[in-house]
Amino acid sequence: MAKFSLQHVYESQQFDLELLNIVFKTADDMKSDLLAKPRQYADILKDKIMASLFYEPSTRTRFSFESAMARLGGSILTTENAKEFSSASKGETLYDSTSVMCGYADLIVMRHNEPGSAKLAAEVSSVPVINAGDGSGQHPTQALLDLYTIKDHFSTIDNLTFAMVGDLKYGRTVRSLSYLLTKYNNIKIYYVSPTVCKMDEDIKAYLTTNSVEWEEVSSLEKVLPLVDCVYMTRIQKERFHDLEDYENAAGKYILDMEKVNLMQEKSIIMHPLPRVDEISKEVDKDHRAQYFNQANNGLYVRMALLYLLLGNHDT
Amino acid sequence: MAKFSLQHVYESQQFDLELLNIVFKTADDMKSDLLAKPRQYADILKDKIMASLFYEPSTRTRFSFESAMARLGGSILTTENAKEFSSASKGETLYDSTSVMCGYADLIVMRHNEPGSAKLAAEVSSVPVINAGDGSGQHPTQALLDLYTIKDHFSTIDNLTFAMVGDLKYGRTVRSLSYLLTKYNNIKIYYVSPTVCKMDEDIKAYLTTNSVEWEEVSSLEKVLPLVDCVYMTRIQKERFHDLEDYENAAGKYILDMEKVNLMQEKSIIMHPLPRVDEISKEVDKDHRAQYFNQANNGLYVRMALLYLLLGNHDT
Amino acid sequence: MAKFSLQHVYESQQFDLELLNIVFKTADDMKSDLLAKPRQYADILKDKIMASLFYEPSTRTRFSFESAMARLGGSILTTENAKEFSSASKGETLYDSTSVMCGYADLIVMRHNEPGSAKLAAEVSSVPVINAGDGSGQHPTQALLDLYTIKDHFSTIDNLTFAMVGDLKYGRTVRSLSYLLTKYNNIKIYYVSPTVCKMDEDIKAYLTTNSVEWEEVSSLEKVLPLVDCVYMTRIQKERFHDLEDYENAAGKYILDMEKVNLMQEKSIIMHPLPRVDEISKEVDKDHRAQYFNQANNGLYVRMALLYLLLGNHDT
């Protein structure tokens, strides 16, 4: 297989098809390894240290990375609220913090409220930096695990049709996923959202340039029978000026069993989590519900990235 | 020995005499192991991950579990304030959180402010859940370590006489300990408390049904010469309407050396900690003071539970 | 080599020249070991547990200790805000907390806001305690890494000339470093500070008694050409009654390239970090800038201390 050429992972745009395939192949290896006894990769990062530098808390994402590191035998330094607890509160720059931290760890996983902060840290750091979300910016490992879940389920990504539903304007997951889907052939995306949170023009123009078909629709019911994958997101109340508008919108885009029954049997339902009530609990037991499996896939994708960025190995 | 049949540990009522004996026998093994060189159990959970999901902080309990996991060679994911730092603050249900977390860890230790939450998590989780305290509900590992301390000291629990002192109404430790003492023969309990925080009727009725003798008394001095074990708890100021009532009550139930000298030489003093001033510091050096030893026993009991819930072994 | 005789590390005054040499020699060993493959010390603390008990947050110092422990193969229990999250908030004494914690760990690293707290904990604890900063009191491992950085760079400490700049009254690092420099021969220190934050008389008297030459000057420019090492510290605005006074002072003691060019080529610039703006970013690339290297040396010095306090070995 080709060499994994990245030193850092800070944005989805770093990945071409070849790199995606390396990550997915490695994630498959990691998944198999966790089932095997004895495990081939159990000690592979034994002498490595990962630092979780979370300037804003996200227990789920942090645990996903830390579980991945532990599964590979590595050690973990962790902070769940560095903004409040670190020298950042004394006015220290991210440049200085990163310069010091990269002396203590072999890899830094950073979550930060400022867009672009992970890329800035990567420029300073002598060790690999992985972006675990930088505010309204990027969350590339979420995009990778979304795509991996699709590929894992359908074996291919080419020729699939998607509905992305909810808050498409502020949700970074649907933006990144749309972007990465341009790497594949014969994709169609339906964007289903209230008017106030439609997908931005930049992504739609990019899709058009890259021959991905897209269409904006307001009725979820109409597209459900047409798609292979429904990607739900949370609609945030605070985006609406008018409470009645919000209640209309939110109600329209709640996925319950009545709506799920409009879907094809072979289709899947995804959600980046946490959900509030945009997918009814009754849906959890339906075989099309893949969102908990999707969260679980985060483990394999993050094991893959840690291994690829830290392992001494040929791929 | 019989098989340890529990998948989860969420309440004291799960334990019968046989299960208690398995836990105590294993705790003894763990205690011996920590003294041995080389240690038989040092790597036994090497490939396992424990997640400490603390929705409310408790550094002592968390460290006790994490130390137990580290002593068995396992890895740890930790959060000390999940309520504030996790998706719970975004409205995610415990059901969803648990469904995700059980993909990242092999065992979950949960502390939560809502009674019943650990049992709820256990119903959802694909991995073992241990309740590390759920609000005014249960704290079963505290009850187990209390009982282990008594058994460790006296070799038996049958035929012992207890005084439980202080806040018996709101203190979950004395409730659980009373409950578990019904498994043993010829037990007598004196409940010593101010009127406003007397033991509730449910426990007293349960004791009577199960042939445990009990008696409510207001004078600590009178019972001290009669008992094998004095179990002290903190009286909380906020339970009292009248400050003078509080001061009378609190003063009456402070264990100082003058009172300790009324006890038999062979008796012991216990306390779940933290204490404020209900046991005078001068008592710490007395040979009857067992509360720091009791805290330390938490390590062996938790090692035992982690091993029994996670180990691949026949008992 | 002589035996490392300390059980705990709570203040700089515990170190004589022989102990300093043991620490520095061991730190050199640790530095070499981290470059070696296979590593001699990688598993040397494998069965040991370090507890980071940080009553006030300091991510940098905490990560430095935890990285040191991980590099030696040990396990870590960690709390980043024990003041808020532990029983301290319920009124528990440090005596009780330490008595319990030393049952869960083999070594305690403590940061606390109260001067003297680490020494108090050391008196109670059955396991080694390292002071990671106790308020306005001591931060002995910072003093050791400062001295190690100087020795590492110049091979010797005898015969060197220093400028200590900024807040000399409230900065514990310059106080501790001054104290430790009395162990060496033919030292000269220039104290460069605004009038409101001059070095206290106790240290100056101690230097005089111990034959260390010192001089107070107000012009940074005048001393820069004369010294081997410039030790910068942050001047805190809140020390000044008059804003204009502050601005004059702060401006006067900012080290930019214009001032660095007054220094000798062989000299070095140190800073305990975090900095705000007292060293211009342009200086970072100059070969004399040693402050990030200094932070990194914290790792080796702390590995050395953990090893010396915990390892079963002859030195």
Side-chain angles (χ1 to χ4, degrees):
Chain A
M1 197 189 283
K3 179 110 185 118
F4 187 73
S5 54
L6 301 182
Q7 301 296 314
H8 308 279
V9 173
Y10 46 83
E11 63 185 11
S12 307
Q13 290 88 319
Q14 294 176 279
F15 289 86
D16 59 18
L17 201 53
E18 187 175 36
L19 285 170
L20 289 172
N21 284 334
I22 295 175
V23 173
F24 297 158
K25 172 70 174 60
T26 312
D28 280 339
D29 279 1
M30 294 303 162
K31 200 171 182 173
S32 310
D33 183 64
L34 282 179
L35 299 170
K37 282 183 162 298
R39 295 180 47 216
Q40 185 186 350
Y41 295 108
D43 273 340
I44 203 138
L45 299 185
K46 184 179 180 302
D47 289 331
K48 302 294 186 184
I49 298 175
M50 180 184 97
S52 296
L53 262 185
F54 276 55
Y55 285 86
E56 58 175 25
S58 171
T59 303
R60 179 199 313 280
T61 302
R62 187 167 62 83
F63 273 25
S64 176
F65 274 105
E66 293 181 0
S67 178
M69 190 63 179
R71 293 294 185 207
L72 296 166
S75 300
I76 298 159
L77 313 182
T78 193
T79 180
E80 52 184 334
N81 198 2
K83 197 178 183 178
E84 187 185 330
F85 291 165
S86 78
S87 293
S89 65
K90 296 180 195 156
E92 188 179 54
T93 62
L94 188 60
Y95 173 92
D96 277 18
S97 299
T98 308
S99 299
V100 173
M101 289 302 170
C102 65
Y104 300 151
D106 299 302
L107 181 142
I108 294 171
V109 175
M110 179 178 286
R111 189 180 192 106
H112 202 284
N113 49 311
E114 288 290 330
S117 51
K119 193 172 180 180
L120 176 67
E123 284 163 12
V124 181
S125 176
S126 59
V127 303
V129 172
I130 301 181
N131 184 358
D134 52 354
S136 61
Q138 292 260 347
H139 189 8
T141 62
Q142 176 72 45
L144 293 174
L145 76 88
D146 287 348
L147 212 52
Y148 176 72
T149 300
I150 297 161
K151 179 152 192 179
D152 189 45
H153 187 85
F154 292 106
S155 300
T156 177
I157 296 174
D158 295 332
N159 310 310
L160 295 178
T161 299
F162 296 83
M164 301 191 185
V165 184
D167 182 351
L168 307 179
K169 187 175 180 63
Y170 301 97
R172 59 190 171 194
T173 55
V174 284
R175 288 178 54 84
S176 295
L177 183 57
S178 297
Y179 170 83
L180 285 176
L181 286 172
T182 63
K183 314 292 181 191
Y184 298 91
N185 299 313
N186 194 28
I187 301 293
K188 166 132 195 192
I189 307 176
Y190 293 98
Y191 288 127
V192 188
S193 72
T195 315
V196 295
C197 39
K198 285 169 77 173
M199 178 59 77
D200 276 343
E201 293 304 321
D202 61 337
I203 289 285
K204 292 186 290 197
Y206 187 81
L207 294 180
T208 301
T209 307
N210 286 275
S211 308
V212 170
E213 212 183 320
W214 59 271
E215 192 179 331
E216 291 179 323
V217 294
S218 71
S219 165
L220 180 54
E221 282 86 346
K222 277 195 191 144
V223 302
L224 285 174
L226 308 175
V227 301
D228 300 293
C229 173
V230 179
Y231 196 107
M232 297 294 296
T233 64
R234 185 158 54 102
I235 295 180
Q236 295 175 286
K237 206 173 187 170
E238 55 269 33
R239 305 299 180 205
F240 290 78
H241 299 295
D242 186 317
L243 187 65
E244 202 178 320
D245 283 359
Y246 165 73
E247 280 165 2
N248 285 337
K252 230 169 126 182
Y253 300 121
I254 287 176
L255 196 66
D256 53 20
M257 275 313 294
E258 197 183 342
K259 292 206 189 74
V260 169
N261 286 330
L262 301 172
M263 293 175 62
Q264 302 170 48
E265 282 296 318
K266 68 171 180 65
S267 298
I268 63 172
I269 304 160
M270 297 176 69
H271 191 299
L273 304 179
R275 71 170 156 182
V276 180
D277 53 14
E278 58 278 5
I279 302 179
S280 304
K281 199 161 174 297
E282 58 180 3
V283 176
D284 295 0
K285 291 196 187 76
D286 191 88
H287 69 279
R288 285 161 287 204
Q290 288 293 314
Y291 29 92
F292 290 124
N293 186 37
Q294 175 187 359
N296 202 32
N297 282 335
L299 179 63
Y300 314 127
V301 168
R302 285 162 183 142
M303 284 175 78
L305 290 174
L306 293 175
Y307 172 74
L308 291 166
L309 290 166
L310 279 177
N312 291 315
H313 49 80
D314 302 302
T315 47
Chain B
M1 198 189 283
K3 179 110 184 117
F4 187 74
S5 55
L6 302 182
Q7 301 296 313
H8 308 278
V9 172
Y10 45 84
E11 62 184 12
S12 307
Q13 290 86 322
Q14 294 176 279
F15 289 86
D16 59 17
L17 200 54
E18 186 174 36
L19 285 171
L20 289 172
N21 284 335
I22 295 176
V23 173
F24 298 158
K25 171 71 175 61
T26 312
D28 280 339
D29 278 1
M30 294 303 163
K31 198 170 183 173
S32 310
D33 185 64
L34 283 178
L35 299 170
K37 286 181 160 296
R39 295 182 46 217
Q40 185 187 351
Y41 296 108
D43 272 339
I44 202 137
L45 299 185
K46 183 179 181 305
D47 290 331
K48 301 295 186 185
I49 298 175
M50 179 186 97
S52 296
L53 263 185
F54 276 53
Y55 285 85
E56 59 175 26
S58 171
T59 303
R60 177 199 316 278
T61 302
R62 189 168 60 83
F63 273 26
S64 176
F65 275 106
E66 294 181 359
S67 178
M69 190 63 179
R71 293 294 184 206
L72 295 167
S75 299
I76 298 158
L77 313 182
T78 194
T79 180
E80 53 185 331
N81 199 2
K83 197 178 185 179
E84 186 184 332
F85 292 165
S86 79
S87 293
S89 65
K90 297 179 195 157
E92 188 179 54
T93 62
L94 188 60
Y95 174 91
D96 278 18
S97 300
T98 307
S99 300
V100 173
M101 288 304 169
C102 66
Y104 299 152
D106 300 302
L107 181 143
I108 294 171
V109 175
M110 179 178 287
R111 189 179 192 106
H112 202 285
N113 48 311
E114 288 291 330
S117 50
K119 193 172 181 181
L120 178 66
E123 284 162 13
V124 181
S125 175
S126 59
V127 303
V129 173
I130 301 180
N131 183 359
D134 52 354
S136 60
Q138 291 258 347
H139 189 6
T141 61
Q142 176 72 45
L144 294 174
L145 77 88
D146 287 349
L147 213 52
Y148 177 71
T149 300
I150 297 161
K151 178 153 193 179
D152 189 46
H153 187 85
F154 292 107
S155 301
T156 178
I157 296 175
D158 295 333
N159 310 312
L160 295 179
T161 300
F162 296 82
M164 302 192 186
V165 184
D167 182 351
L168 307 180
K169 187 176 181 63
Y170 302 97
R172 60 191 170 193
T173 55
V174 283
R175 287 178 55 83
S176 295
L177 182 57
S178 296
Y179 170 82
L180 286 176
L181 285 172
T182 62
K183 314 292 181 192
Y184 298 90
N185 300 314
N186 194 27
I187 301 293
K188 164 130 197 195
I189 308 176
Y190 293 98
Y191 289 127
V192 188
S193 71
T195 315
V196 294
C197 38
K198 284 168 79 172
M199 177 60 77
D200 275 343
E201 294 303 322
D202 61 337
I203 290 285
K204 292 185 291 198
Y206 188 81
L207 295 180
T208 301
T209 308
N210 286 275
S211 309
V212 170
E213 211 184 322
W214 60 269
E215 190 179 332
E216 291 179 323
V217 294
S218 71
S219 164
L220 181 54
E221 281 86 348
K222 277 194 191 145
V223 301
L224 285 174
L226 309 176
V227 300
D228 299 293
C229 173
V230 179
Y231 196 105
M232 297 293 297
T233 65
R234 184 157 54 100
I235 295 179
Q236 294 175 286
K237 206 174 187 169
E238 55 269 35
R239 305 299 179 204
F240 290 78
H241 299 293
D242 185 317
L243 188 65
E244 202 177 321
D245 282 358
Y246 165 72
E247 280 164 3
N248 286 336
K252 228 168 129 183
Y253 300 120
I254 287 177
L255 195 66
D256 53 20
M257 275 312 296
E258 196 182 341
K259 291 207 190 74
V260 170
N261 286 331
L262 302 172
M263 294 174 62
Q264 300 169 49
E265 282 297 317
K266 68 168 178 67
S267 299
I268 63 173
I269 303 160
M270 296 177 69
H271 190 299
L273 303 182
R275 70 169 157 184
V276 180
D277 53 14
E278 58 279 3
I279 301 179
S280 304
K281 200 162 173 298
E282 58 180 2
V283 176
D284 295 1
K285 291 197 189 75
D286 191 89
H287 68 279
R288 287 163 285 204
Q290 288 293 313
Y291 29 93
F292 291 123
N293 185 39
Q294 176 187 0
N296 202 33
N297 282 336
L299 179 63
Y300 314 128
V301 168
R302 285 162 182 142
M303 285 176 77
L305 290 174
L306 293 175
Y307 172 74
L308 291 167
L309 290 166
L310 278 177
N312 291 314
H313 49 79
D314 302 303
T315 45
Chain C
M1 196 189 282
K3 180 110 183 115
F4 186 74
S5 54
L6 302 181
Q7 301 296 314
H8 307 279
V9 172
Y10 46 82
E11 62 184 11
S12 307
Q13 289 87 320
Q14 294 176 278
F15 289 86
D16 60 19
L17 200 54
E18 186 174 36
L19 285 171
L20 289 172
N21 284 335
I22 295 175
V23 173
F24 297 158
K25 172 71 174 62
T26 311
D28 280 339
D29 278 1
M30 294 301 162
K31 199 170 184 174
S32 310
D33 183 65
L34 282 179
L35 299 170
K37 282 181 163 299
R39 295 180 47 216
Q40 186 187 349
Y41 297 108
D43 273 339
I44 203 139
L45 299 185
K46 185 177 180 304
D47 289 332
K48 302 294 187 185
I49 298 176
M50 179 185 98
S52 296
L53 262 187
F54 276 54
Y55 285 85
E56 60 175 25
S58 171
T59 304
R60 177 199 315 279
T61 302
R62 187 167 62 82
F63 273 26
S64 176
F65 274 105
E66 294 181 358
S67 178
M69 190 63 179
R71 294 294 185 207
L72 296 167
S75 299
I76 298 158
L77 313 181
T78 193
T79 181
E80 52 185 332
N81 198 2
K83 198 179 184 179
E84 188 183 332
F85 291 164
S86 78
S87 293
S89 66
K90 297 180 196 156
E92 188 180 55
T93 62
L94 188 61
Y95 173 91
D96 278 16
S97 300
T98 307
S99 299
V100 173
M101 289 302 169
C102 65
Y104 300 152
D106 300 301
L107 181 143
I108 294 171
V109 175
M110 179 178 286
R111 189 179 191 106
H112 203 284
N113 49 311
E114 288 293 329
S117 50
K119 192 171 180 181
L120 177 66
E123 284 163 12
V124 180
S125 176
S126 59
V127 303
V129 173
I130 301 180
N131 184 359
D134 52 354
S136 61
Q138 291 259 346
H139 190 6
T141 62
Q142 177 71 45
L144 293 175
L145 77 87
D146 287 347
L147 213 53
Y148 177 70
T149 300
I150 297 161
K151 178 151 192 178
D152 189 45
H153 187 86
F154 292 106
S155 301
T156 178
I157 296 175
D158 294 333
N159 309 312
L160 295 179
T161 300
F162 296 82
M164 301 191 186
V165 185
D167 182 350
L168 307 180
K169 187 175 181 64
Y170 301 97
R172 60 190 170 193
T173 56
V174 284
R175 287 179 54 84
S176 295
L177 183 57
S178 296
Y179 170 82
L180 285 177
L181 286 173
T182 62
K183 314 290 182 192
Y184 298 91
N185 299 315
N186 194 26
I187 301 292
K188 164 129 197 195
I189 307 176
Y190 293 98
Y191 289 127
V192 188
S193 73
T195 316
V196 293
C197 39
K198 285 168 78 172
M199 178 59 77
D200 276 343
E201 293 305 321
D202 61 338
I203 290 285
K204 291 186 290 197
Y206 188 81
L207 294 181
T208 301
T209 308
N210 287 274
S211 310
V212 169
E213 211 183 322
W214 59 270
E215 191 179 333
E216 291 179 322
V217 294
S218 72
S219 165
L220 180 54
E221 283 86 346
K222 276 196 191 145
V223 301
L224 285 174
L226 308 177
V227 301
D228 299 293
C229 173
V230 178
Y231 196 104
M232 298 293 298
T233 65
R234 185 157 54 101
I235 295 180
Q236 292 175 288
K237 207 174 186 168
E238 56 269 34
R239 304 300 180 204
F240 290 80
H241 300 294
D242 185 318
L243 187 66
E244 202 178 321
D245 282 359
Y246 166 72
E247 280 164 3
N248 285 338
K252 227 170 131 181
Y253 299 120
I254 287 177
L255 195 66
D256 53 20
M257 275 313 296
E258 197 183 340
K259 291 206 190 75
V260 169
N261 285 331
L262 300 173
M263 294 173 64
Q264 302 170 47
E265 282 296 317
K266 67 169 181 67
S267 299
I268 63 173
I269 303 160
M270 296 175 70
H271 190 299
L273 302 180
R275 70 169 157 183
V276 179
D277 54 12
E278 58 279 4
I279 301 180
S280 304
K281 200 161 173 297
E282 59 179 3
V283 176
D284 294 0
K285 291 197 188 75
D286 191 88
H287 69 279
R288 286 162 286 204
Q290 289 292 313
Y291 29 93
F292 290 124
N293 185 39
Q294 176 187 0
N296 203 32
N297 282 336
L299 179 63
Y300 314 126
V301 168
R302 285 162 183 141
M303 285 175 77
L305 290 174
L306 294 175
Y307 172 75
L308 291 167
L309 291 166
L310 278 177
N312 291 315
H313 48 79
D314 303 303
T315 46

